[in-house]
Amino acid sequence: MLRGKASATGEARRARSSAFTSLRIPAYRQLWWAGLFSFLSVQMQFLLRGVLAWDLTESEGALGLVYFSFGVSMLIATPLGGVAADRLPNRRVLVVSQSVLVCGAIGMGIVVVTDVAQLWMLVIAAVAQGFAFGFYGPARMAFAAKLVGRDQIGNAITLSMLSLNGTRVFAPAFAGMLAGIAFFGIGGAYLVSGTFSVLALVFLLRCPHGEVIGEVSTSGPFAEIADGVRYVREHAPLRRLVVSSFFVIMFGFNYVAFIPALVKDVFGLSNGYVGLLMSGSAIGAVVVSFWLARHADGPNARRLMIVSGVCFGGAVLALALAPVFALAVVAVAGVGAAAAGYQSLSNTIALSMSDDAHQGRVQSLLMLSFAGFGIAAGPLGLLAEAVGLRVAMALMGVVAASACVAYVVIERVAPFDGVVDRRTSSVVS
């Protein structure tokens, strides 16, 4: 009897530890800490950017313009970032990108503290951050895959998402709190964000170089981009995943851009409630990520991804229709949970279907959906001003859920053209 209890306790302990198995690798642990501080800085700026744009203009269109600028720059940089991730040492790409993020955060802090901030400065900062992210994202994902190996890709990506979503639990509320304190204000909050960004750079400098796998190509960057697009196009299951993910993220994730307007204009509340609502989304994401870390490398990953995507769209719709702020908090927790599941699993499945020489470029194509998210924010901001914010957000949720349903339908009716899951050498379709 005692042996049975001890065995059950041991199994439970192993199940808990398996959720953090990638963190046992020292090099990945350095990368994870770098990501934690970088995401903490970025999440603070995400809220501060929206609050500052609203304070300067009180216009949904201005909110959309800032995110539109971010999206356009990311759209340009991300394909080049994918090439850099496949053809340059990953740490070098990450260090340069993080340095740009440091300059952007500190620069905005200075112009706000000196009371010279204008909307065009915010747009320039958004453009710089978009370029930096275009290189940072593919390099970080490709680097993580190299450090942990294919059998732990899902766990490593989920833990990376956990660091992202964990910072979202308190970073927006922390930024909102600092912005509301006279001693700090928005400028001081930006400078605190810049300090976290510097810490991220320190951890990156402690990572290994992340040398290039395979032969060094002599082709130009645009030829390398074309090769990556051709690679995805020729692998139909991978192509369908990338296209569906583009629509889910481009429309569904835009709910974040309009949270300041939802809280202030619809519910009539202050900046602190903006941070609270964004933190509610993060709490849902963190809860799901702990569970998902043990299942992301399992056989049901694709099914979980589809369910997460449909639930994500439905939760955005529920957020749009929430009659009171308390119900909006409940809805946004569901948004965060479903979004974390969909994003982690879609990245895991895409990487598992890609060979080593194309992982950076495949990730860059997936990240283009975030560029699309930024670009769509401009037209969606104008739509919100024309038909109302709730209607525009409801349409975002409907499109996101419909994209997942369409993916399921196309997968079922498409002719079999499976590709190899390189973690298991099994064929997936």
Side-chain angles (χ1 to χ4, degrees):
M1 185 70 176
L2 291 175
R3 182 176 299 174
K5 289 183 178 179
S7 176
T9 302
E11 290 179 4
R13 187 179 296 112
R14 284 191 295 273
R16 288 193 297 271
S17 65
S18 66
F20 303 98
T21 182
S22 295
L23 288 174
R24 298 173 183 170
I25 301 171
Y28 176 78
R29 195 160 57 242
Q30 297 293 330
L31 181 65
W32 189 88
W33 279 109
L36 179 70
F37 284 111
S38 183
F39 293 144
L40 179 58
S41 173
V42 168
Q43 291 300 332
M44 290 181 67
Q45 291 178 62
F46 216 73
L47 178 135
L48 294 171
R49 184 182 299 131
V51 171
L52 182 58
W54 183 263
D55 287 349
L56 290 172
T57 66
E58 295 188 355
S59 166
E60 288 94 346
L63 287 172
L65 173 63
V66 171
Y67 288 98
F68 175 80
S69 303
F70 172 86
V72 170
S73 61
M74 193 170 174
L75 178 66
I76 296 170
T78 296
L80 297 172
V83 174
D86 287 334
R87 296 293 179 251
L88 295 174
N90 294 140
R91 190 187 73 169
R92 184 189 305 172
V93 178
L94 291 171
V95 166
V96 173
S97 302
Q98 187 63 44
S99 299
V100 174
L101 295 176
V102 169
C103 293
I106 294 177
M108 282 305 303
I110 292 173
V111 299
V112 174
V113 167
T114 56
D115 199 26
V116 296
Q118 297 182 36
L119 181 62
W120 67 265
M121 298 177 183
L122 197 56
V123 170
I124 289 177
V127 168
Q129 191 176 76
F131 269 103
F133 258 88
F135 284 85
Y136 187 94
R140 188 170 186 271
M141 288 296 186
F143 200 13
K146 291 175 185 176
L147 294 177
V148 305
R150 287 188 172 274
D151 59 335
Q152 296 184 58
I153 285 178
N155 180 261
I157 290 177
T158 303
L159 289 177
S160 295
M161 293 300 300
L162 179 61
S163 66
L164 168 63
N165 292 312
T167 60
R168 289 174 56 210
V169 172
F170 60 89
F174 181 54
M177 179 191 71
L178 290 179
I181 297 174
F183 178 75
F184 285 95
I186 295 176
Y190 260 112
L191 293 176
V192 172
S193 167
T195 302
F196 289 131
S197 199
V198 170
L199 287 174
L201 185 59
V202 170
F203 276 100
L204 283 175
L205 291 171
R206 299 175 64 183
C207 288
H209 288 286
E211 299 298 340
V212 176
I213 295 177
E215 298 181 359
V216 177
S217 174
T218 57
S219 301
F222 294 105
E224 293 289 323
I225 293 171
D227 178 64
V229 172
R230 183 166 52 250
Y231 177 81
V232 171
R233 187 179 66 242
E234 292 174 354
H235 294 77
L238 184 57
R239 182 182 69 238
R240 291 192 287 265
L241 176 59
V242 170
V243 172
S244 64
S245 176
F246 185 85
F247 281 97
V248 172
I249 293 175
M250 181 173 68
F251 287 93
F253 274 69
N254 260 301
Y255 82 92
V256 176
F258 299 104
I259 279 183
L262 182 70
V263 170
K264 293 185 174 184
D265 195 34
V266 175
F267 294 118
L269 300 173
S270 64
N271 288 341
Y273 289 92
V274 176
L276 177 62
L277 196 59
M278 294 182 74
S279 296
S281 170
I283 290 172
V286 168
V287 170
V288 165
S289 294
F290 277 113
W291 176 83
L292 188 62
R294 294 192 293 268
H295 299 276
D297 292 304
N300 295 318
R302 187 180 299 273
R303 184 177 304 170
L304 290 172
M305 179 194 73
I306 294 167
V307 171
S308 297
V310 174
C311 291
F312 171 54
V316 172
L317 177 62
L319 174 63
L321 301 178
V324 295
F325 183 77
L327 291 179
V329 173
V330 174
V332 85
V335 171
Y342 181 82
Q343 193 174 357
S344 297
L345 291 166
S346 60
N347 277 279
T348 297
I349 294 169
L351 280 175
S352 70
M353 291 193 293
S354 307
D355 62 35
D356 292 339
H358 289 89
Q359 284 188 336
R361 279 167 288 179
V362 169
Q363 277 299 305
S364 72
L365 291 175
L366 281 172
M367 283 187 61
L368 282 178
S369 57
F370 284 97
F373 140 62
I375 292 171
L380 287 172
L382 297 176
L383 178 66
E385 291 184 343
V387 302
L389 183 60
R390 287 187 183 273
V391 174
M393 290 184 67
L395 289 174
M396 297 176 203
V398 170
V399 172
S402 298
C404 287
V405 173
Y407 171 77
V408 174
V409 172
I410 295 173
E411 283 283 283
R412 290 186 179 277
V413 302
F416 178 77
D417 48 5
V419 296
V420 174
D421 184 328
R422 297 176 186 275
R423 295 171 297 173
T424 62
S425 296
S426 60
V427 176
V428 296
S429 62

